[in-house]
Amino acid sequence: MPFLDLAGRVSEIRERISAATARGGHGQQVTIVAVTKTHGADAVEAAFAAGITDVGENRVQEALRKMPEVTAPVRWHLIGHLQRNKVKSLKGFALLHSLDSARLANAVAAYGTESGSRMPVLVQVNVSGETSKGGYEMSEIEREAARLRTVEGLDVRGVMTIAPEGASERELRAVFAGARSAYAALVTAGHQATELSMGMSGDFEVAVEEGATMVRLGTILLGARDA
Ligand SMILES: *Cc1c(COP(=O)(O)O)cnc(C)c1O
């Protein structure tokens, strides 16, 4: 049976998050974003039944296919790269985690302005500098934070980062602390930023200790993915 005892797993993870919050001392609230990529609409329904209200998808097309099949009133998060010519697809999403370049920022801002609102976004930061990863370089953040204050149509809510796979705990802490400093730069520039999206199945406890307010959990909640 698929997604057996998901509620039990969610409550175990919530306990681990509470313990990590206490260890880290940042005192933040943490939202679990269940990453439902490669799974069907049934996974979204099962997550909602287990008390999850936020789901993440990394591919726009896949998410748009799933949305009409889901009746649960979840908030959809886009956590993967968005092509500039697809910004209209943001319509069904509550938050874009992967604002990864100035050109995409301008395209999303134009979409926001056109739709008469400001699109909620997180600035994705490539803290580790891996070439395979998307996101702003740390050295760009301060200037971009200031520039984004002058761009209409965007609501910059915080920062997202992805830690390198197989990183040691020390490396993880350095990456997550880097994201936290990028977040501080947004606040300093005057953005109403409150979110720090970091931590996945293998590293969410360290991320929470370092101040994560959103953890993006796939495998640990829903099991292995086919693709
Ligand atoms: C797939 C994915 C996740 C979830 O990964 P797990 O290791 O399965 O928890 C989180 N964030 C992003 C950006 C992803 O693409």
Side-chain angles (χ1 to χ4, degrees):
M1 191 179 157
F3 317 120
L4 195 66
D5 196 28
L6 190 49
R9 226 164 317 157
V10 168
S11 84
E12 188 216 308
I13 289 168
R14 285 200 203 284
E15 275 170 33
R16 288 169 64 179
I17 288 172
S18 296
T21 309
R23 285 194 302 273
H26 291 280
Q28 79 276 29
Q29 293 287 322
V30 181
T31 301
I32 296 174
V33 178
V35 177
T36 48
K37 65 188 184 194
T38 78
H39 295 287
D42 57 338
V44 181
E45 300 287 1
F48 186 74
I52 297 284
T53 53
D54 294 79
V55 299
E57 290 278 336
N58 69 331
R59 291 206 174 91
V60 170
Q61 295 306 330
E62 182 183 339
L64 294 183
R65 267 201 313 276
K66 242 172 260 183
M67 281 175 185
E69 296 171 18
V70 172
T71 56
V74 292
R75 279 186 293 270
W76 294 85
H77 297 241
L78 186 59
I79 62 175
H81 176 67
L82 177 67
Q83 287 177 299
R84 277 178 291 139
N85 62 1
K86 299 263 167 64
V87 291
K88 286 198 167 60
S89 312
L90 287 170
K91 196 172 187 308
F93 290 95
L95 182 64
L96 171 66
H97 290 230
S98 40
L99 192 83
D100 55 13
S101 73
R103 295 206 309 170
L104 178 62
N106 293 343
V108 174
Y111 160 77
T113 305
E114 216 171 279
S115 57
S117 63
R118 295 160 72 213
M119 181 66 205
V121 298
L122 304 181
V123 172
Q124 183 177 350
V125 185
N126 183 359
V127 182
S128 59
E130 288 173 287
T131 50
S132 61
K133 261 195 191 116
Y136 288 91
E137 301 297 320
M138 284 297 281
S139 59
E140 300 176 286
I141 288 300
E142 211 177 296
R143 201 179 46 193
E144 184 67 350
R147 188 189 77 89
L148 290 176
R149 286 280 290 149
T150 69
V151 174
E152 278 170 42
L154 284 183
D155 181 6
V156 178
R157 296 267 178 90
V159 165
M160 182 273 246
T161 202
I162 304 172
E165 229 173 285
S168 68
E169 189 181 321
R170 216 175 101 215
E171 289 165 329
L172 288 175
R173 286 197 195 282
V175 166
F176 295 143
R180 208 172 59 228
S181 76
Y183 165 82
L186 292 180
V187 173
T188 301
H191 295 282
Q192 302 286 315
T194 54
E195 304 297 340
L196 201 38
S197 168
M198 56 191 197
M200 302 168 39
S201 291
D203 57 22
F204 73 93
E205 285 162 300
V206 178
V208 169
E209 287 175 21
E210 295 296 329
T213 65
M214 287 182 173
V215 292
R216 308 177 308 269
L217 304 179
T219 323
I220 198 171
L221 275 177
L222 302 168
R225 289 181 286 270
D226 309 328

